[in-house]
C-alpha cells in the first residue's frame, strides 16, 4: 500500500498537554480510524497536521512532499469535516458555499447538488437553523464535492442518528472505491469503525499506542473471563489489563491461546475495538 499522508515526530505543547513525537501513516484505499478517549490528543493532532495550530515540531508529507512547501496544493486535495462545523450561522447554505467553493480548483457543482439532495438540504436554509447533524451533513457535502484525494474528519458522526451513520459509512466506502483515495477520521463511536475501518491508530496522553490493521487487531486480542482462583502471576502477566469482582475476573489478552492451554475452563470471547481501547487506557493509568 502506498502512503498518501505521512506524519513524523509531530509535537505540540500546551500548559497541561502535549503531543509527544506523534508519527503515523495513512494509506491509499484505506479507511483509517483514529481512536482514543476524550483529551487523548485526537483533535490536537488533526489541527496540528492541518497547520490550524502552530506545530512545535514534526513533518507532514502528502504524497511524499512536505506540505510546508506547498500548503495550498495540499489543502486543495483534501476534504475536511470538523465536529464544530466552522460556518457562519447567519449565512444561507447557498451563500456559504459561494464563499468556500472558489478555494478548490476542482469544485464540482453537479456532485455538490447531488449530495444536498441526498442529505435533504435546501440551498436557502440558514446555517444557524440547522441541527448539529444537518451541519455535519453539509460539511460532508462540501468535503466530497471537489475531487479530494483524502478526507480528514474529526468526530464526523457526532449528532447523527443510526440511519445516517449507516449512510455515512456507505458514503465512505463508495468514496474510496475508485482507488487512490483515503479516509482518516477520529471518532468516539467505535461501533462505526467495526463496520468501516481498515486500519486503526490509537492515541493516548499525546502518544501513539498502536497502528494496526483492524482485522489483525481483532484477531489478536480476546476477552478472558474466569474464576479469580485462576489469577496466578503467570496469567496476570499474559493480560494487557484485567479487573476483578466477587464473581470472577475479566481481562484483555493477546496471549489467549496460551492462557487457555494453562486453564481450559477459562472463557474466551471476541474483543471489540472499544474493549481493546479501554484496556490500553486503563493499563496506562
Amino acid at each position: 500500500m502506498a502512503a498518501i499522508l505521512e506524519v513524523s515526530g509531530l509535537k505540540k505543547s500546551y500548559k497541561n498537554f502535549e503531543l509527544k513525537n506523534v508519527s503515523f501513516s495513512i494509506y491509499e484505499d484505506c479507511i483509517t480510524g483514529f481512536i482514543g478517549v476524550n483529551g487523548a490528543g485526537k483533535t490536537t493532532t488533526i489541527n496540528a497536521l492541518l497547520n490550524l495550530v502552530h506545530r512545535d515540531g514534526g513533518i507532514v508529507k502528502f504524497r511524499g512532499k512536505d506540505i510546508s512547501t506547498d500548503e495550498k496544493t495540499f489543502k486543495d486535495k483534501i476534504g475536511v469535516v470538523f465536529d464544530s462545523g466552522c460556518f457562519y450561522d447567519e449565512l444561507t447554505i447557498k451563500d456559504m458555499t459561494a464563499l468556500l467553493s472558489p478555494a478548490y480548483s476542482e469544485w464540482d457543482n453537479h456532485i455538490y447538488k447531488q449530495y444536498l439532495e441526498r442529505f435533504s438540504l435546501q440551498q436557502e436554509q440558514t446555517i444557524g437553523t440547522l441541527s448539529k447533524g444537518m451541519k455535519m451533513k453539509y460539511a460532508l457535502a462540501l468535503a466530497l464535492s471537489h475531487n479530494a484525494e483524502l478526507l480528514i474528519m474529526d468526530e464526523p458522526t457526532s449528532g447523527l442518528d443510526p440511519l445516517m451513520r449507516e449512510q455515512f459509512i456507505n458514503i465512505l466506502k463508495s468514496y474510496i472505491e475508485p482507488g487512490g483515495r483515503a479516509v482518516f477520521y477520529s471518532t468516539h463511536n467505535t461501533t462505526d469503525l467495526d463496520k468501516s475501518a481498515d486500519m486503526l491508530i490509537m492515541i493516548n496522553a499525546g502518544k501513539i499506542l498502536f497502528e494496526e490493521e483492524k482485522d489483525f487487531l481483532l484477531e489478536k486480542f480476546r476477552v478472558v473471563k474466569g474464576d479469580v482462583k485462576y489469577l496466578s502471576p503467570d496469567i496476570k502477566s499474559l493480560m494487557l489489563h484485567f479487573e476483578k469482582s466477587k464473581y470472577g475476573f475479566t481481562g484483555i489478552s493477546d496471549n489467549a491461546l496460551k492462557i487457555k492451554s494453562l486453564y481450559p475452563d477459562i472463557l474466551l470471547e471476541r474483543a471489540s475495538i472499544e474493549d481493546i481501547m479501554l484496556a490500553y487506557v486503563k493499563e496506562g493509568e
Side-chain angles (χ1 to χ4, degrees):
M1 295 185 293
I4 192 169
L5 188 77
E6 298 166 275
V7 179
S8 303
L10 193 64
K11 298 178 183 178
K12 178 62 184 177
S13 294
Y14 293 104
K15 184 177 180 180
N16 298 311
F17 178 80
E18 66 174 323
L19 295 179
K20 305 163 188 175
N21 292 308
V22 167
S23 300
F24 59 85
S25 296
I26 307 300
Y27 296 95
E28 285 184 346
D29 308 325
C30 283
I31 297 174
T32 299
F34 192 36
I35 62 174
V37 296
N38 280 334
K42 300 188 301 296
T43 297
T44 301
T45 298
I46 290 174
N47 286 341
L49 72 87
L50 290 174
N51 214 22
L52 297 176
V53 296
H54 175 73
R55 297 193 296 270
D56 297 329
I59 297 173
V60 179
K61 292 183 179 181
F62 179 72
R63 299 220 179 267
K65 295 182 179 179
D66 189 335
I67 68 167
S68 62
T69 63
D70 193 356
E71 188 174 340
K72 187 177 185 304
T73 297
F74 166 61
K75 291 187 175 178
D76 187 40
K77 291 296 183 181
I78 64 172
V80 179
V81 176
F82 289 114
D83 177 36
S84 57
C86 302
F87 302 126
Y88 295 122
D89 283 349
E90 65 274 15
L91 296 183
T92 63
I93 286 177
K94 181 179 180 179
D95 291 339
M96 191 75 230
T97 303
L99 191 66
L100 295 172
S101 58
Y104 302 107
S105 64
E106 296 186 54
W107 177 261
D108 191 321
N109 208 50
H110 177 67
I111 291 177
Y112 166 70
K113 288 182 178 179
Q114 285 183 330
Y115 276 114
L116 287 189
E117 184 176 351
R118 184 172 184 174
F119 297 153
S120 301
L121 293 167
Q122 305 298 321
Q123 298 243 38
E124 300 308 319
Q125 287 179 279
T126 304
I127 301 292
T129 66
L130 301 178
S131 67
K132 189 174 183 180
M134 295 296 279
K135 286 180 181 179
M136 191 63 67
K137 292 177 183 179
Y138 175 54
L140 189 58
L142 292 172
L144 292 166
S145 299
H146 62 275
N147 197 31
E149 297 175 14
L150 170 64
L151 294 184
I152 298 176
M153 299 179 285
D154 189 15
E155 298 291 344
T157 58
S158 175
L160 301 184
D161 59 48
L163 177 60
M164 184 56 209
R165 292 210 313 270
E166 183 178 345
Q167 293 173 345
F168 168 80
I169 290 169
N170 291 333
I171 288 168
L172 295 188
K173 290 179 177 179
S174 297
Y175 166 76
I176 66 167
E177 198 171 84
R181 295 175 173 180
V183 173
F184 176 58
Y185 78 99
S186 73
T187 182
H188 290 100
N189 198 325
T190 56
T191 56
D192 289 343
L193 296 176
D194 281 318
K195 300 174 184 177
S196 64
D198 302 298
M199 298 286 296
L200 293 173
I201 298 170
M202 181 176 176
I203 188 169
N204 192 56
K207 297 170 64 176
I208 299 296
L209 297 189
F210 63 73
E211 180 179 357
E212 296 277 10
E213 290 185 23
K214 180 195 70 179
D215 290 343
F216 172 80
L217 198 70
L218 293 177
E219 187 62 33
K220 179 180 178 182
F221 284 95
R222 288 291 183 271
V223 176
V224 183
K225 295 181 178 179
D227 193 290
V228 290
K229 68 183 181 182
Y230 296 125
L231 273 177
S232 65
D234 286 344
I235 293 297
K236 290 179 181 179
S237 69
L238 293 172
M239 287 190 287
L240 175 63
H241 177 76
F242 68 90
E243 294 179 354
K244 294 188 296 183
S245 74
K246 63 180 180 180
Y247 302 107
F249 76 90
T250 300
I252 298 291
S253 174
D254 59 354
N255 285 283
L257 292 180
K258 187 171 182 180
I259 291 174
K260 190 72 171 177
S261 69
L262 292 172
Y263 298 105
D265 290 340
I266 279 179
L267 179 66
L268 302 182
E269 296 177 354
R270 185 176 176 85
S272 68
I273 295 171
E274 184 173 298
D275 291 331
I276 298 166
M277 180 182 76
L278 292 178
Y280 269 100
V281 171
K282 291 175 181 178
E283 178 64 16
E285 292 173 351

